[in-house]
Amino acid sequence: MPAKPEPIPITKPVFGQRERDLIQTPLDTGWVVQGPWVERFEKAFMDFSGAGNAIAVTNCTTGLHLILHALRIGPGDEVIVPSFTFIASANAVEYTGARPVFCDIELSTFNIDVAAAAKLITPRTKAIMPVSLFGLSADLKALNELADAHGIYVIEDAACALGARLNGFHAGTRCTAASFSFHPRKAVTTGEGGMVTTNDPELADLISKLRNHGAEATDLERHLAQGGSLLPAFNLLGFNYRMTDFQGALGVAQMERAADILAARRRAAAVYDSSLKNAAGLIPPHAPDGYVHAYQSYVVIFGPRDKISLQHLDDMNRRRNQLMATMEAQGITVRQGTHAVHTLGYYAEKYRLSPEELPNSLMADRLSITLPLFADISSEQQERVVSFLIPGGVNA
Ligand SMILES: Cc1ncc(COP(=O)(O)O)c(C=O)c1O
């Protein structure tokens, strides 16, 4: 029997000696909760992104929850959320008691359709939550114009958006506030982890307190100041959404190599782009003018353009699933892009939208394929992936 080829993972974090060294340091100092390393990580994140403030939290989802809570969004309010996203975007809205109002996406970018969002605004709408999906910024310029015209907030789910830029501005810097993720599927990782960014210092201060039980001062501030033996005031109902200093140290090491990781991912994406440009059976991702794609995921749509319609969806979905199963059997890890959230049990039951009501999200759910992409993916590995996707390839 021929030897089975080496499996190709969907992604792979980049860790080296620097990560190993820095993550040890809290063990030596004994300072393991949110402390000096978290503060350095926040600073590194601000330097990298240009955000005015950065507040580290336990993950992107809790970051989104804190933003919504700090903006006093709650029962009776509506937040417009794209229906093609990871479930956490909508869940964060649900936690507050507000209603996530699902909006369809544009298939060409996988991001929220701004014209469709405009039609969903009601007197109850308090915010729009665009998701900069797979590393491509949502159209923040148009979304900000829309939000300004209606006096509502823009809360960016920037989970995937480290390195994403629109007209020169990094994700998370042109909105009321944003939340990033450091889950291992992201370009840089702290295991679990998240970062809230905002250019509003008062909002930043409030979110910073809310993540730490509502305390008016952090442990580190008390430790460094005179009178630290006195407990701080607690004037707010806060949460414990603090990042540990192990994660902060790991985050500092990761931010030192973030530019290199992102550049390597872009080079790998360019290899897919050129290999797949003549593939009649699928549509590769595309960054419109003015956008810099960060390629948190490289997501293609399966199917020739004339078959991407609700009419052909069941057939194309069956064929996509077959292709993914074939690739997986050959050790190539592939995944569907993400979910049409309005079709998932909890949301389908609660809000009773028909799957076809948001057709692009449904098609993206049923037809997307995420290809393996990581900083040190080899050209041989990419050739193996591509061989299943182009005419004349092993699966033709
Ligand atoms: C679009 C989007 N939003 C939110 C999240 C949640 O991030 P976290 O796992 O850090 O809470 C993810 C993570 O995969 C995501 O892709």
Side-chain angles (χ1 to χ4, degrees), residues 160-161 197 221:
C160 314
T197 56
E221 283 161 353

Side-chain angles (χ1 to χ4, degrees), residues 137-217:
S137 278
D139 187 350
L140 267 307
K141 187 170 179 294
L143 286 159
N144 279 321
E145 281 164 13
L146 181 65
D148 287 348
H150 292 272
I152 59 178
Y153 302 116
V154 177
I155 301 169
E156 184 181 356
D157 179 340
C160 314
L162 183 74
R165 286 181 186 274
L166 169 55
N167 298 329
F169 292 109
H170 193 280
T173 64
R174 284 294 174 276
C175 53
T176 312
S179 187
F180 292 80
S181 173
F182 304 112
H183 177 275
R185 279 286 302 271
K186 311 303 186 253
V188 312
T189 181
T190 57
E192 298 283 358
M195 191 71 77
V196 172
T197 56
T198 175
N199 294 329
D200 176 341
E202 280 175 27
L203 184 60
D205 187 51
L206 178 56
I207 289 173
S208 170
K209 289 173 185 159
L210 286 170
R211 80 170 151 181
N212 183 27
H213 299 289
E216 290 294 314

Side-chain angles (χ1 to χ4, degrees), residues 58-64 84-90 131-134 157-160 179-186 191-194 296 338:
T58 44
N59 55 61
C60 169
T61 314
T62 52
L64 291 172
F84 185 63
T85 180
F86 186 57
I87 192 169
S89 320
V131 180
S132 292
L133 202 60
F134 306 141
D157 179 340
C160 314
S179 187
F180 292 80
S181 173
F182 304 112
H183 177 275
R185 279 286 302 271
K186 311 303 186 253
E192 298 283 358
Q296 176 268 331
T338 188

